[in-house]
Amino acid sequence: MKKLSARNKGLLTGLVIVILSAVVYLTTGNFDNSILLAAYIIYAAGIIWSLYSFYRSEQEHKTFKNYFQEGFKCYIVVTFIMVIVTFLFLKFNVSLQHEMIEFQRQQLKLNANYSEPDIEEKLATYKKFILPGYTMSTILSYLGVGTLVTVITSFFLGNLKQQVIVTKK
């Protein structure tokens, strides 16, 4: 059986997150915090899977740098998938954008310091930044979490005694 590369594990991890998110959105009509938590758990598991496979491989030089490269190959693919999906989802889901703007309007009305023209001005600015703002937050959050999981797991696995079980081919 051919082993999956870190990139392919990233692709598989990203697709699992997208499918889970789509199923939750189609059945509930929204994304709540539990789906975000589940997505990040799947994401971390995919990175750890890649790093553990590298740990179990017969590669001779297993330095922190090599572990980090393997993790990076996985998490950069997941990040790319999630950024594309987030962008497309927000771009073509106009009703969600309207809901977000209306929610923002309600929040601004709660503040007595804003007049109606102030609220409309802030909403106009908010509308401009919905797509780039959420896309950028997706990039930063997935890169940040991916880097953190990779660094911690690489450090941990790099300090374990290597116990490779060689199987007969």
Side-chain angles (χ1 to χ4, degrees), residues 51-159:
L51 293 171
Y52 186 72
S53 295
F54 181 70
Y55 169 77
R56 300 293 293 187
S57 72
E58 296 176 16
Q59 176 89 11
E60 287 198 25
H61 299 291
K62 293 184 180 168
T63 62
F64 178 82
K65 174 185 169 189
N66 297 123
Y67 278 109
F68 191 84
Q69 286 176 340
E70 285 297 303
F72 180 81
K73 289 174 192 174
C74 176
Y75 81 72
I76 199 67
V77 172
V78 178
T79 300
F80 181 72
I81 290 169
M82 296 312 296
V83 166
I84 296 298
V85 168
T86 299
F87 178 83
L88 292 175
F89 180 75
L90 288 174
K91 179 79 173 163
F92 296 109
N93 194 343
V94 179
S95 64
L96 180 63
Q97 290 182 34
H98 290 304
E99 287 176 31
M100 294 164 68
I101 292 165
E102 196 52 42
F103 177 77
Q104 188 68 22
R105 179 186 310 279
Q106 298 307 320
Q107 295 301 309
L108 290 171
K109 284 183 178 182
L110 293 175
N111 188 338
N113 294 331
Y114 293 130
S115 65
E116 195 60 37
D118 290 339
I119 291 173
E120 291 305 317
E121 181 183 330
K122 291 190 180 302
L123 288 176
T125 303
Y126 181 71
K127 288 176 189 177
K128 289 182 202 172
F129 290 106
I130 287 177
L131 194 57
Y134 277 90
T135 303
M136 185 56 69
S137 69
T138 301
I139 292 169
L140 294 175
S141 63
Y142 274 92
L143 286 178
V145 170
T147 300
L148 183 65
V149 170
T150 299
V151 166
I152 292 170
T153 308
S154 296
F155 182 76
F156 177 74
L157 291 175
N159 288 320

Side-chain angles (χ1 to χ4, degrees), residues 13 39-50 149:
T13 301
Y40 282 116
I41 289 170
I42 293 167
Y43 182 43
I47 295 168
I48 293 168
W49 175 32
S50 293
V149 170

